[in-house]
Amino acid sequence: QEEEEGRFFIDDILRAYFRQGLPYREDQFLDNLPIAESYDFIVVGSGPGGSVTANRLSENPNWTVLLLEAGIEGNIYTDIPAMNPIFAFTNYNWQYKAEPQSFMCRGMFDGRCQWPSGKGVGGTTLWNGLFWTRCPADDFDEWEAMGNPGWGYKNMLRAFLKVENVSIPELKDSPYHSTTGKVNVQYPWHTKISNIFLKAGQEFGYNLVDYNDPRTPTGFSRTQINALNGRRITAASAYLLSARDRPNLHIVKNAHVNKVIIDRRTKTAIGVEFEKNASRRIARAAKEVILSAGTFNTPKILMLSGIGPADHLRSMNIQAVQDLPAVGQHLQEHVAPLMTVMINTTDSFTVRKLAPIIVPAFQEWLSTGKGLLANNVGEVLGYVKTDPSLIKPNIELIFTPVSIASDDGIFLRKYFGISDDTYKYSYSEINQKESFGICPLGMYPQSKGEIRLRSPNPMDPPVIITNFLKEPADVKTMVDAQKLVQRFLETESMKRIGARLHPKIHGCEQFQFGTDEFFECSVRTITMQFHHQCCTARIGQDPRDSVVTPRLRVHGVNGLRVVDASVMPKIPGAHTMSVTYAIAENAADIIKEDWSNELLY
Ligand SMILES: Cc1cc2nc3c(=O)[nH]c(=O)nc-3n(C[C@H](O)[C@H](O)[C@H](O)COP(=O)(O)OP(=O)(O)OC[C@H]3O[C@@H](n4cnc5c(N)ncnc54)[C@H](O)[C@@H]3O)c2cc1C
C-alpha cells in the first residue's frame, strides 16, 4: 500500500507539473544520435556561456554545432528555487575545494573553502542562487577602457535586453529591461520579514529602486530572480529546449572533454578529445572550438591542451603549444562575513517551524508556483556605500529570512563547510532561535587567486588558490561593511524587532566584539563565498597579461575561443550569471560577424 501511495504522489506531482505547461525534464536531451566525425563548431560546456553560444550559432542552418557537456540535465527538483543548496551534495556539483589558506575560511573543515560549481545541462544555472543583478554601468565602461573595444555598457545593455524577459509589471516599460528575451525575470515569492528589511533600508537613507537600472545603482529592492511562475529558468530551459530539435545542433551530455586537439604546425584548434561511456573519442571542428567550461575548467582544459604558463606546463610534462602566462591567473570572487542577527519576533524560519509545513509547501509550489519553496532565500538586496564620498555602491547587503543557526547545523553548516568546533562554539547556544542573516558582499575586491593543474590527468580537480582577503583594502572594506550593518540595525524597524548581532565566533574570542580586530577575524573565520569565480582567461590586448583578444580568440592560437565567465577582464559589481549570459550574446554576434565573410577571416 505504501508503494501505491508513493506512486500516487509521484503521478500527482507530474500531473500538477504538466498542468503548469512545463514539460517534465527527465530525458529532455535524449542523447541517442550518433556523434558525427566533424562539425563546424564544437562548444564545450552548457552553462550560460555555452548554451547561448550553441543556440545562436545553430540559428544559421548552414552551420553544424556540437555541444558537449560533462553532466546530465536537471529535473523537477532543480526547478525549485529554495532547494538550491541541496545540489551542492550531488553530482550536479564538481565538488572542488580550494587549497587551505590562512587569509580566509579559517573556521571551515581543514581551513578549506568549499567551492561549488555546476555540472549539468544548463551549467551552474541549474542550481545557483537565482540572483539576477547586473552592476553599475561604468563597470563595463571600465572593461572597455582597459583596451577592450565592444565590451562597454552600450553593447552589454544591448546584450542584456536580448537575454531578458521581465515579468515584473513596473519594469516592463523601462528602457533598461526587455520582455522579448529568453530568460524570464520576476520577484520571488517573499516572506513577511522581507517587508521589514525594505522599510529599514528606507529608514537607513536609501530609496526603493530598480538596481538593474543604471540611473539607480544605489538603494534597496526585492531581489530580481530568473524564474517563471516560481520555477527556475536555466540556461538549458531558456536557450537549449527551444533549439534541441534543430537538425544542425547536436547536444551530447555525459561527455567530459579532456583537451583541445591542436595542429602544432599551424597552431590551429582542429577538434577535441572527450570521454563518453568510458571510451575516449575525438570530434573535429571545421571552423572553431569554443570553450565554455567555466572559470575553473576552461583554464584547466587550455593547460591540458598545451596553452598556459610554459614553466607550469613543463612541470606537468605537457608540451607547450602557446606560452600564455595569464591562463588560470587573475581569479576573482566576491566574499562576505556571514552575520547572524537575533530578533525577538517570530518572523524568521527554523527547521522546527518548517518541518510540519514542508509537504504542503511542496504541493503549493507544484500547483501554484508560489509559497515558501518559490523563495530564493536571499530575498532583499541593498546597494550601499561604506563611505558617502564613493561614486558608486561598494557593498551589496543580502538579507535572508534564515541564519546559519536556523537548522541546528544539519545542513547549512555543511554547505558552507563550517567545522564542528567552530559551529559548536559559535552557534550551538542559538540553535533554532529566531534569527536572520545579513551578508555584506564586497562588490569590488582587489585580491586575486589562481588556478593550476594538479596533474596531467584530466579527471583530477584543479588546484585552486584563493588568496582572497590578502589585500589590506579588501579587509578594510569588510570591516567597514560590518560596522555599516551595526548602524543599519539601529533603524527603527530593526529596533522594533529587537535586532542585534550575534557576537560569538570561534577563534575570535581574544578580540572585543565590535572592534576592527573582531570584524577582521570574523570575516576571515566564517567567510561566505558567492562563487562568482571569473577572470582566469580574461580579455585583453596584451598576451602577457590576458588570454583572449577582445574578439575572444585565444592569443596565438587559431580557431579557438573562450565564451564564459572566465573572460571577464575584472570582476563586476554583480552576481555573475546575467553578466555571463550577456557576454555570450555579445560573443555570438562577434563570432557571426567574423564568419560573415569567411574569406576575410
Ligand atoms: C552555488 C552557486 C551559486 C551561485 N549563485 C548565483 C546567483 O544567484 N546569481 C548569479 O548571478 N550567479 C550565481 N552564481 C554564479 C553563476 O552561476 C556563474 O557565474 C555562471 O553560471 C557562469 O557561467 P559559465 O557559463 O561561465 O559556467 P557554468 O555555468 O559553470 O557552466 C560550465 C559548464 O561546463 C561544463 N564543463 C566543465 N568542464 C567540462 C569538461 N571538461 N567537459 C565538458 N563539459 C564541461 C560544466 O559541467 C558546466 O555545465 C553561482 C554559482 C554557484 C556555484
Side-chain angles (χ1 to χ4, degrees), residues 44-50 68-71 94 116-125 127-133 255-258 292-295 297 301 415 530-533 563-566 575-578 580:
V44 179
S46 66
L68 295 171
E69 165 56 51
W94 283 88
S117 67
K119 182 179 188 181
V121 185
T124 307
T125 65
W127 59 276
N128 69 8
L130 296 144
F131 292 90
W132 190 258
T133 74
H256 183 281
V257 172
N258 294 339
S292 302
T295 295
N297 287 342
I301 296 171
Y415 176 76
F530 290 85
H531 320 303
H532 295 163
Q533 51 268 22
V563 180
D564 60 24
S566 70
H575 297 242
T576 41
M577 162 176 54
S578 77
T580 311

Side-chain angles (χ1 to χ4, degrees), residues 247-266:
N248 61 331
L249 172 64
H250 192 174
I251 301 166
V252 178
K253 56 191 180 183
N254 263 325
H256 183 281
V257 172
N258 294 339
K259 61 177 182 181
V260 182
I261 300 167
I262 296 171
D263 177 338
R264 287 173 178 273
R265 201 176 39 86
T266 58

Side-chain angles (χ1 to χ4, degrees), residues 221-240:
S221 170
R222 289 198 190 288
T223 307
Q224 298 175 25
I225 66 167
N226 43 299
L228 175 64
N229 298 331
R231 282 158 170 88
R232 171 188 296 278
I233 297 295
T234 70
S237 55
Y239 280 88
L240 296 181

